[in-house]
Amino acid sequence: ERHSLPAPSPSTRKSNGMRVLVAEDNAINQKVVAAHLQALGYEVDIVGDGVAALDALGDDHGYAAVIMDGQMPRMDGYETARAQRARESELGQARVPIIALTAHAMTGDRSTAFAAGMDDYLSKPFTQQQLEQSLLRWATEPAADTDEAPREALDTRITSQLLELDEEEPGFLCEVIDSFFATAEESI
């Protein structure tokens, strides 16, 4: 006799008022990520490729974070992240946190994600706790007006990424700092 799985209980966690964009082409993965996010109290919008993600990230998008698959049709997640970072820089928009979601768990994939401008990295399969930790680290309610939020002199997200790269390649951070001091005066 086959026993069916128990019906999922409705989430008792209230919405935290933050919206997350999920850019993922696989329908099953979309459902899994959305269910995890909703259980954590996030509102979720889903798109199936990078082009749609860029459209959703247009002016005043209001997303606290983006969960972005690395491999998608039309435009992959890495290319999409680079395009979004370029747009933010060009238009002076606030940086939306982008968390890479990939089926590949190789060391180089983490570096590829960070080089593309992504802020964090989750490999499939991931746990709800891993997703929650990443969102707690990165997701914030977008400011109503980008002029209201003061810009920090030191972007701790970037320094965190550099520290992670240094773990993969010891001495990397010292080389970056030395390069900075060697060129800073001329750059200024």
Side-chain angles (χ1 to χ4, degrees), residues 105-137:
M106 301 168 73
T107 304
D109 291 329
R110 182 186 263 309
S111 298
T112 301
F114 290 152
M118 295 178 169
D119 299 293
D120 210 342
Y121 176 93
L122 289 173
S123 60
K124 301 173 201 172
F126 59 90
T127 65
Q128 188 175 47
Q129 183 179 12
Q130 289 170 321
L131 179 61
E132 181 177 34
Q133 291 298 344
S134 186
L135 288 166
L136 287 173
R137 188 171 30 245

PDB file of all heavy atoms in Angstrom, residues 105-137:
ATOM      1  N   ALA A 105      28.838  23.244  -8.985  1.00  0.00           N
ATOM      2  CA  ALA A 105      29.433  23.526  -7.675  1.00  0.00           C
ATOM      3  C   ALA A 105      30.952  23.528  -7.757  1.00  0.00           C
ATOM      4  O   ALA A 105      31.632  23.108  -6.846  1.00  0.00           O
ATOM      5  CB  ALA A 105      28.956  22.497  -6.660  1.00  0.00           C
ATOM      6  N   MET A 106      31.467  24.006  -8.863  1.00  0.00           N
ATOM      7  CA  MET A 106      32.911  24.030  -9.037  1.00  0.00           C
ATOM      8  C   MET A 106      33.467  25.355  -8.527  1.00  0.00           C
ATOM      9  O   MET A 106      32.790  26.380  -8.536  1.00  0.00           O
ATOM     10  CB  MET A 106      33.257  23.819 -10.506  1.00  0.00           C
ATOM     11  CG  MET A 106      32.731  22.488 -11.046  1.00  0.00           C
ATOM     12  SD  MET A 106      32.823  22.371 -12.819  1.00  0.00           S
ATOM     13  CE  MET A 106      34.562  22.156 -13.038  1.00  0.00           C
ATOM     14  N   THR A 107      34.715  25.357  -8.099  1.00  0.00           N
ATOM     15  CA  THR A 107      35.355  26.535  -7.533  1.00  0.00           C
ATOM     16  C   THR A 107      35.300  27.721  -8.484  1.00  0.00           C
ATOM     17  O   THR A 107      35.022  28.836  -8.080  1.00  0.00           O
ATOM     18  CB  THR A 107      36.826  26.234  -7.165  1.00  0.00           C
ATOM     19  OG1 THR A 107      36.840  25.123  -6.287  1.00  0.00           O
ATOM     20  CG2 THR A 107      37.485  27.424  -6.512  1.00  0.00           C
ATOM     21  N   GLY A 108      35.534  27.521  -9.744  1.00  0.00           N
ATOM     22  CA  GLY A 108      35.543  28.603 -10.720  1.00  0.00           C
ATOM     23  C   GLY A 108      34.194  29.275 -10.901  1.00  0.00           C
ATOM     24  O   GLY A 108      34.125  30.445 -11.277  1.00  0.00           O
ATOM     25  N   ASP A 109      33.106  28.550 -10.633  1.00  0.00           N
ATOM     26  CA  ASP A 109      31.774  29.123 -10.806  1.00  0.00           C
ATOM     27  C   ASP A 109      31.539  30.261  -9.823  1.00  0.00           C
ATOM     28  O   ASP A 109      30.906  31.257 -10.161  1.00  0.00           O
ATOM     29  CB  ASP A 109      30.696  28.053 -10.632  1.00  0.00           C
ATOM     30  CG  ASP A 109      30.709  27.047 -11.770  1.00  0.00           C
ATOM     31  OD1 ASP A 109      31.072  27.436 -12.885  1.00  0.00           O
ATOM     32  OD2 ASP A 109      30.355  25.889 -11.521  1.00  0.00           O
ATOM     33  N   ARG A 110      32.032  30.139  -8.632  1.00  0.00           N
ATOM     34  CA  ARG A 110      31.898  31.195  -7.632  1.00  0.00           C
ATOM     35  C   ARG A 110      32.605  32.458  -8.127  1.00  0.00           C
ATOM     36  O   ARG A 110      32.052  33.543  -8.082  1.00  0.00           O
ATOM     37  CB  ARG A 110      32.484  30.726  -6.297  1.00  0.00           C
ATOM     38  CG  ARG A 110      32.346  31.724  -5.176  1.00  0.00           C
ATOM     39  CD  ARG A 110      33.068  31.256  -3.928  1.00  0.00           C
ATOM     40  NE  ARG A 110      32.379  30.586  -2.881  1.00  0.00           N
ATOM     41  CZ  ARG A 110      31.273  30.963  -2.264  1.00  0.00           C
ATOM     42  NH1 ARG A 110      30.637  31.989  -2.654  1.00  0.00           N
ATOM     43  NH2 ARG A 110      30.775  30.306  -1.266  1.00  0.00           N
ATOM     44  N   SER A 111      33.817  32.300  -8.614  1.00  0.00           N
ATOM     45  CA  SER A 111      34.570  33.443  -9.137  1.00  0.00           C
ATOM     46  C   SER A 111      33.883  34.051 -10.347  1.00  0.00           C
ATOM     47  O   SER A 111      33.847  35.273 -10.490  1.00  0.00           O
ATOM     48  CB  SER A 111      35.990  33.006  -9.511  1.00  0.00           C
ATOM     49  OG  SER A 111      36.674  32.541  -8.380  1.00  0.00           O
ATOM     50  N   THR A 112      33.333  33.206 -11.227  1.00  0.00           N
ATOM     51  CA  THR A 112      32.612  33.694 -12.400  1.00  0.00           C
ATOM     52  C   THR A 112      31.407  34.528 -11.982  1.00  0.00           C
ATOM     53  O   THR A 112      31.154  35.592 -12.543  1.00  0.00           O
ATOM     54  CB  THR A 112      32.150  32.512 -13.281  1.00  0.00           C
ATOM     55  OG1 THR A 112      33.296  31.770 -13.690  1.00  0.00           O
ATOM     56  CG2 THR A 112      31.393  32.994 -14.503  1.00  0.00           C
ATOM     57  N   ALA A 113      30.678  34.059 -10.974  1.00  0.00           N
ATOM     58  CA  ALA A 113      29.512  34.793 -10.488  1.00  0.00           C
ATOM     59  C   ALA A 113      29.926  36.149  -9.923  1.00  0.00           C
ATOM     60  O   ALA A 113      29.318  37.173 -10.236  1.00  0.00           O
ATOM     61  CB  ALA A 113      28.768  33.978  -9.424  1.00  0.00           C
ATOM     62  N   PHE A 114      30.969  36.170  -9.105  1.00  0.00           N
ATOM     63  CA  PHE A 114      31.413  37.427  -8.510  1.00  0.00           C
ATOM     64  C   PHE A 114      31.964  38.373  -9.577  1.00  0.00           C
ATOM     65  O   PHE A 114      31.737  39.577  -9.524  1.00  0.00           O
ATOM     66  CB  PHE A 114      32.448  37.174  -7.417  1.00  0.00           C
ATOM     67  CG  PHE A 114      31.874  36.525  -6.189  1.00  0.00           C
ATOM     68  CD1 PHE A 114      32.666  35.730  -5.390  1.00  0.00           C
ATOM     69  CD2 PHE A 114      30.542  36.692  -5.831  1.00  0.00           C
ATOM     70  CE1 PHE A 114      32.158  35.127  -4.245  1.00  0.00           C
ATOM     71  CE2 PHE A 114      30.013  36.086  -4.698  1.00  0.00           C
ATOM     72  CZ  PHE A 114      30.823  35.306  -3.901  1.00  0.00           C
ATOM     73  N   ALA A 115      32.684  37.830 -10.545  1.00  0.00           N
ATOM     74  CA  ALA A 115      33.231  38.666 -11.619  1.00  0.00           C
ATOM     75  C   ALA A 115      32.126  39.298 -12.455  1.00  0.00           C
ATOM     76  O   ALA A 115      32.300  40.394 -13.004  1.00  0.00           O
ATOM     77  CB  ALA A 115      34.161  37.836 -12.504  1.00  0.00           C
ATOM     78  N   ALA A 116      30.986  38.629 -12.549  1.00  0.00           N
ATOM     79  CA  ALA A 116      29.851  39.161 -13.304  1.00  0.00           C
ATOM     80  C   ALA A 116      29.080  40.224 -12.520  1.00  0.00           C
ATOM     81  O   ALA A 116      28.174  40.849 -13.053  1.00  0.00           O
ATOM     82  CB  ALA A 116      28.910  38.026 -13.704  1.00  0.00           C
ATOM     83  N   GLY A 117      29.428  40.404 -11.248  1.00  0.00           N
ATOM     84  CA  GLY A 117      28.761  41.410 -10.434  1.00  0.00           C
ATOM     85  C   GLY A 117      27.718  40.852  -9.493  1.00  0.00           C
ATOM     86  O   GLY A 117      26.962  41.605  -8.881  1.00  0.00           O
ATOM     87  N   MET A 118      27.677  39.530  -9.361  1.00  0.00           N
ATOM     88  CA  MET A 118      26.747  38.923  -8.422  1.00  0.00           C
ATOM     89  C   MET A 118      27.314  39.043  -7.014  1.00  0.00           C
ATOM     90  O   MET A 118      28.525  39.144  -6.828  1.00  0.00           O
ATOM     91  CB  MET A 118      26.476  37.478  -8.803  1.00  0.00           C
ATOM     92  CG  MET A 118      25.767  37.348 -10.142  1.00  0.00           C
ATOM     93  SD  MET A 118      25.509  35.627 -10.585  1.00  0.00           S
ATOM     94  CE  MET A 118      24.403  35.791 -11.979  1.00  0.00           C
ATOM     95  N   ASP A 119      26.433  39.051  -6.023  1.00  0.00           N
ATOM     96  CA  ASP A 119      26.847  39.294  -4.652  1.00  0.00           C
ATOM     97  C   ASP A 119      27.040  38.040  -3.822  1.00  0.00           C
ATOM     98  O   ASP A 119      27.757  38.053  -2.827  1.00  0.00           O
ATOM     99  CB  ASP A 119      25.812  40.181  -3.949  1.00  0.00           C
ATOM    100  CG  ASP A 119      25.689  41.517  -4.644  1.00  0.00           C
ATOM    101  OD1 ASP A 119      26.658  42.283  -4.595  1.00  0.00           O
ATOM    102  OD2 ASP A 119      24.635  41.779  -5.250  1.00  0.00           O
ATOM    103  N   ASP A 120      26.367  36.957  -4.199  1.00  0.00           N
ATOM    104  CA  ASP A 120      26.450  35.726  -3.427  1.00  0.00           C
ATOM    105  C   ASP A 120      26.210  34.567  -4.373  1.00  0.00           C
ATOM    106  O   ASP A 120      25.891  34.763  -5.555  1.00  0.00           O
ATOM    107  CB  ASP A 120      25.429  35.730  -2.288  1.00  0.00           C
ATOM    108  CG  ASP A 120      25.885  34.925  -1.073  1.00  0.00           C
ATOM    109  OD1 ASP A 120      26.802  34.086  -1.205  1.00  0.00           O
ATOM    110  OD2 ASP A 120      25.312  35.127   0.007  1.00  0.00           O
ATOM    111  N   TYR A 121      26.319  33.341  -3.839  1.00  0.00           N
ATOM    112  CA  TYR A 121      26.327  32.157  -4.669  1.00  0.00           C
ATOM    113  C   TYR A 121      25.690  30.994  -3.915  1.00  0.00           C
ATOM    114  O   TYR A 121      26.093  30.707  -2.790  1.00  0.00           O
ATOM    115  CB  TYR A 121      27.797  31.860  -4.982  1.00  0.00           C
ATOM    116  CG  TYR A 121      28.073  30.610  -5.769  1.00  0.00           C
ATOM    117  CD1 TYR A 121      28.179  30.659  -7.140  1.00  0.00           C
ATOM    118  CD2 TYR A 121      28.265  29.387  -5.125  1.00  0.00           C
ATOM    119  CE1 TYR A 121      28.467  29.520  -7.873  1.00  0.00           C
ATOM    120  CE2 TYR A 121      28.544  28.246  -5.847  1.00  0.00           C
ATOM    121  CZ  TYR A 121      28.654  28.329  -7.226  1.00  0.00           C
ATOM    122  OH  TYR A 121      28.926  27.205  -7.955  1.00  0.00           O
ATOM    123  N   LEU A 122      24.685  30.378  -4.521  1.00  0.00           N
ATOM    124  CA  LEU A 122      24.084  29.156  -3.986  1.00  0.00           C
ATOM    125  C   LEU A 122      24.140  28.091  -5.076  1.00  0.00           C
ATOM    126  O   LEU A 122      23.792  28.367  -6.221  1.00  0.00           O
ATOM    127  CB  LEU A 122      22.615  29.379  -3.606  1.00  0.00           C
ATOM    128  CG  LEU A 122      22.314  30.239  -2.396  1.00  0.00           C
ATOM    129  CD1 LEU A 122      20.805  30.486  -2.297  1.00  0.00           C
ATOM    130  CD2 LEU A 122      22.825  29.579  -1.128  1.00  0.00           C
ATOM    131  N   SER A 123      24.564  26.885  -4.712  1.00  0.00           N
ATOM    132  CA  SER A 123      24.545  25.820  -5.706  1.00  0.00           C
ATOM    133  C   SER A 123      23.371  24.894  -5.412  1.00  0.00           C
ATOM    134  O   SER A 123      23.026  24.653  -4.262  1.00  0.00           O
ATOM    135  CB  SER A 123      25.875  25.055  -5.715  1.00  0.00           C
ATOM    136  OG  SER A 123      26.127  24.478  -4.465  1.00  0.00           O
ATOM    137  N   LYS A 124      22.754  24.413  -6.479  1.00  0.00           N
ATOM    138  CA  LYS A 124      21.631  23.492  -6.367  1.00  0.00           C
ATOM    139  C   LYS A 124      22.173  22.096  -6.078  1.00  0.00           C
ATOM    140  O   LYS A 124      23.186  21.728  -6.666  1.00  0.00           O
ATOM    141  CB  LYS A 124      20.833  23.448  -7.672  1.00  0.00           C
ATOM    142  CG  LYS A 124      20.260  24.771  -8.110  1.00  0.00           C
ATOM    143  CD  LYS A 124      19.641  24.605  -9.496  1.00  0.00           C
ATOM    144  CE  LYS A 124      19.512  25.925 -10.209  1.00  0.00           C
ATOM    145  NZ  LYS A 124      19.104  25.790 -11.597  1.00  0.00           N
ATOM    146  N   PRO A 125      21.554  21.332  -5.239  1.00  0.00           N
ATOM    147  CA  PRO A 125      20.413  21.704  -4.409  1.00  0.00           C
ATOM    148  C   PRO A 125      20.885  22.517  -3.197  1.00  0.00           C
ATOM    149  O   PRO A 125      21.979  22.313  -2.693  1.00  0.00           O
ATOM    150  CB  PRO A 125      19.834  20.362  -3.963  1.00  0.00           C
ATOM    151  CG  PRO A 125      21.020  19.437  -3.955  1.00  0.00           C
ATOM    152  CD  PRO A 125      21.933  19.922  -5.056  1.00  0.00           C
ATOM    153  N   PHE A 126      20.054  23.424  -2.768  1.00  0.00           N
ATOM    154  CA  PHE A 126      20.367  24.248  -1.606  1.00  0.00           C
ATOM    155  C   PHE A 126      19.277  24.032  -0.567  1.00  0.00           C
ATOM    156  O   PHE A 126      18.200  23.547  -0.876  1.00  0.00           O
ATOM    157  CB  PHE A 126      20.440  25.730  -1.981  1.00  0.00           C
ATOM    158  CG  PHE A 126      19.161  26.256  -2.570  1.00  0.00           C
ATOM    159  CD1 PHE A 126      18.183  26.797  -1.758  1.00  0.00           C
ATOM    160  CD2 PHE A 126      18.924  26.184  -3.933  1.00  0.00           C
ATOM    161  CE1 PHE A 126      16.985  27.249  -2.289  1.00  0.00           C
ATOM    162  CE2 PHE A 126      17.733  26.640  -4.473  1.00  0.00           C
ATOM    163  CZ  PHE A 126      16.762  27.170  -3.648  1.00  0.00           C
ATOM    164  N   THR A 127      19.571  24.396   0.655  1.00  0.00           N
ATOM    165  CA  THR A 127      18.581  24.259   1.716  1.00  0.00           C
ATOM    166  C   THR A 127      17.894  25.602   1.932  1.00  0.00           C
ATOM    167  O   THR A 127      18.417  26.660   1.567  1.00  0.00           O
ATOM    168  CB  THR A 127      19.230  23.819   3.040  1.00  0.00           C
ATOM    169  OG1 THR A 127      20.100  24.857   3.504  1.00  0.00           O
ATOM    170  CG2 THR A 127      20.006  22.515   2.875  1.00  0.00           C
ATOM    171  N   GLN A 128      16.743  25.535   2.559  1.00  0.00           N
ATOM    172  CA  GLN A 128      16.028  26.770   2.885  1.00  0.00           C
ATOM    173  C   GLN A 128      16.871  27.628   3.826  1.00  0.00           C
ATOM    174  O   GLN A 128      16.886  28.855   3.706  1.00  0.00           O
ATOM    175  CB  GLN A 128      14.678  26.448   3.517  1.00  0.00           C
ATOM    176  CG  GLN A 128      13.805  27.670   3.711  1.00  0.00           C
ATOM    177  CD  GLN A 128      12.439  27.296   4.223  1.00  0.00           C
ATOM    178  OE1 GLN A 128      12.308  26.512   5.169  1.00  0.00           O
ATOM    179  NE2 GLN A 128      11.413  27.852   3.607  1.00  0.00           N
ATOM    180  N   GLN A 129      17.605  26.990   4.707  1.00  0.00           N
ATOM    181  CA  GLN A 129      18.464  27.724   5.640  1.00  0.00           C
ATOM    182  C   GLN A 129      19.577  28.461   4.894  1.00  0.00           C
ATOM    183  O   GLN A 129      19.892  29.603   5.214  1.00  0.00           O
ATOM    184  CB  GLN A 129      19.058  26.772   6.673  1.00  0.00           C
ATOM    185  CG  GLN A 129      19.908  27.484   7.710  1.00  0.00           C
ATOM    186  CD  GLN A 129      20.483  26.529   8.749  1.00  0.00           C
ATOM    187  OE1 GLN A 129      20.444  25.321   8.597  1.00  0.00           O
ATOM    188  NE2 GLN A 129      21.033  27.100   9.803  1.00  0.00           N
ATOM    189  N   GLN A 130      20.173  27.828   3.883  1.00  0.00           N
ATOM    190  CA  GLN A 130      21.209  28.497   3.097  1.00  0.00           C
ATOM    191  C   GLN A 130      20.624  29.704   2.364  1.00  0.00           C
ATOM    192  O   GLN A 130      21.246  30.771   2.324  1.00  0.00           O
ATOM    193  CB  GLN A 130      21.823  27.530   2.085  1.00  0.00           C
ATOM    194  CG  GLN A 130      22.682  26.467   2.708  1.00  0.00           C
ATOM    195  CD  GLN A 130      23.073  25.386   1.714  1.00  0.00           C
ATOM    196  OE1 GLN A 130      22.273  24.968   0.865  1.00  0.00           O
ATOM    197  NE2 GLN A 130      24.304  24.916   1.814  1.00  0.00           N
ATOM    198  N   LEU A 131      19.432  29.536   1.797  1.00  0.00           N
ATOM    199  CA  LEU A 131      18.771  30.642   1.112  1.00  0.00           C
ATOM    200  C   LEU A 131      18.467  31.770   2.086  1.00  0.00           C
ATOM    201  O   LEU A 131      18.725  32.947   1.805  1.00  0.00           O
ATOM    202  CB  LEU A 131      17.482  30.145   0.446  1.00  0.00           C
ATOM    203  CG  LEU A 131      16.652  31.195  -0.299  1.00  0.00           C
ATOM    204  CD1 LEU A 131      17.438  31.807  -1.447  1.00  0.00           C
ATOM    205  CD2 LEU A 131      15.356  30.558  -0.812  1.00  0.00           C
ATOM    206  N   GLU A 132      17.962  31.414   3.252  1.00  0.00           N
ATOM    207  CA  GLU A 132      17.632  32.420   4.257  1.00  0.00           C
ATOM    208  C   GLU A 132      18.881  33.184   4.699  1.00  0.00           C
ATOM    209  O   GLU A 132      18.851  34.416   4.814  1.00  0.00           O
ATOM    210  CB  GLU A 132      16.970  31.761   5.463  1.00  0.00           C
ATOM    211  CG  GLU A 132      16.579  32.755   6.545  1.00  0.00           C
ATOM    212  CD  GLU A 132      15.862  32.086   7.705  1.00  0.00           C
ATOM    213  OE1 GLU A 132      16.184  30.929   8.039  1.00  0.00           O
ATOM    214  OE2 GLU A 132      14.974  32.732   8.279  1.00  0.00           O
ATOM    215  N   GLN A 133      19.969  32.481   4.929  1.00  0.00           N
ATOM    216  CA  GLN A 133      21.208  33.144   5.345  1.00  0.00           C
ATOM    217  C   GLN A 133      21.692  34.123   4.287  1.00  0.00           C
ATOM    218  O   GLN A 133      22.128  35.230   4.597  1.00  0.00           O
ATOM    219  CB  GLN A 133      22.311  32.118   5.650  1.00  0.00           C
ATOM    220  CG  GLN A 133      22.058  31.292   6.877  1.00  0.00           C
ATOM    221  CD  GLN A 133      21.975  32.139   8.149  1.00  0.00           C
ATOM    222  OE1 GLN A 133      22.387  33.286   8.193  1.00  0.00           O
ATOM    223  NE2 GLN A 133      21.415  31.571   9.185  1.00  0.00           N
ATOM    224  N   SER A 134      21.612  33.720   3.048  1.00  0.00           N
ATOM    225  CA  SER A 134      22.034  34.597   1.959  1.00  0.00           C
ATOM    226  C   SER A 134      21.150  35.841   1.885  1.00  0.00           C
ATOM    227  O   SER A 134      21.642  36.963   1.743  1.00  0.00           O
ATOM    228  CB  SER A 134      21.991  33.834   0.631  1.00  0.00           C
ATOM    229  OG  SER A 134      22.513  34.621  -0.398  1.00  0.00           O
ATOM    230  N   LEU A 135      19.850  35.647   2.011  1.00  0.00           N
ATOM    231  CA  LEU A 135      18.934  36.792   1.952  1.00  0.00           C
ATOM    232  C   LEU A 135      19.086  37.704   3.168  1.00  0.00           C
ATOM    233  O   LEU A 135      18.995  38.928   3.040  1.00  0.00           O
ATOM    234  CB  LEU A 135      17.494  36.310   1.810  1.00  0.00           C
ATOM    235  CG  LEU A 135      17.175  35.746   0.424  1.00  0.00           C
ATOM    236  CD1 LEU A 135      15.855  34.990   0.440  1.00  0.00           C
ATOM    237  CD2 LEU A 135      17.173  36.836  -0.621  1.00  0.00           C
ATOM    238  N   LEU A 136      19.322  37.128   4.334  1.00  0.00           N
ATOM    239  CA  LEU A 136      19.547  37.954   5.518  1.00  0.00           C
ATOM    240  C   LEU A 136      20.801  38.812   5.347  1.00  0.00           C
ATOM    241  O   LEU A 136      20.865  39.944   5.827  1.00  0.00           O
ATOM    242  CB  LEU A 136      19.668  37.090   6.770  1.00  0.00           C
ATOM    243  CG  LEU A 136      18.372  36.465   7.272  1.00  0.00           C
ATOM    244  CD1 LEU A 136      18.653  35.490   8.410  1.00  0.00           C
ATOM    245  CD2 LEU A 136      17.375  37.530   7.707  1.00  0.00           C
ATOM    246  N   ARG A 137      21.784  38.264   4.650  1.00  0.00           N
ATOM    247  CA  ARG A 137      23.035  38.983   4.415  1.00  0.00           C
ATOM    248  C   ARG A 137      22.864  40.102   3.392  1.00  0.00           C
ATOM    249  O   ARG A 137      23.466  41.157   3.513  1.00  0.00           O
ATOM    250  CB  ARG A 137      24.089  37.977   3.940  1.00  0.00           C
ATOM    251  CG  ARG A 137      25.482  38.515   3.835  1.00  0.00           C
ATOM    252  CD  ARG A 137      26.549  37.439   3.580  1.00  0.00           C
ATOM    253  NE  ARG A 137      26.122  36.272   2.849  1.00  0.00           N
ATOM    254  CZ  ARG A 137      26.090  35.033   3.353  1.00  0.00           C
ATOM    255  NH1 ARG A 137      26.429  34.797   4.594  1.00  0.00           N
ATOM    256  NH2 ARG A 137      25.702  34.011   2.599  1.00  0.00           N
TER     257      ARG A 137
END
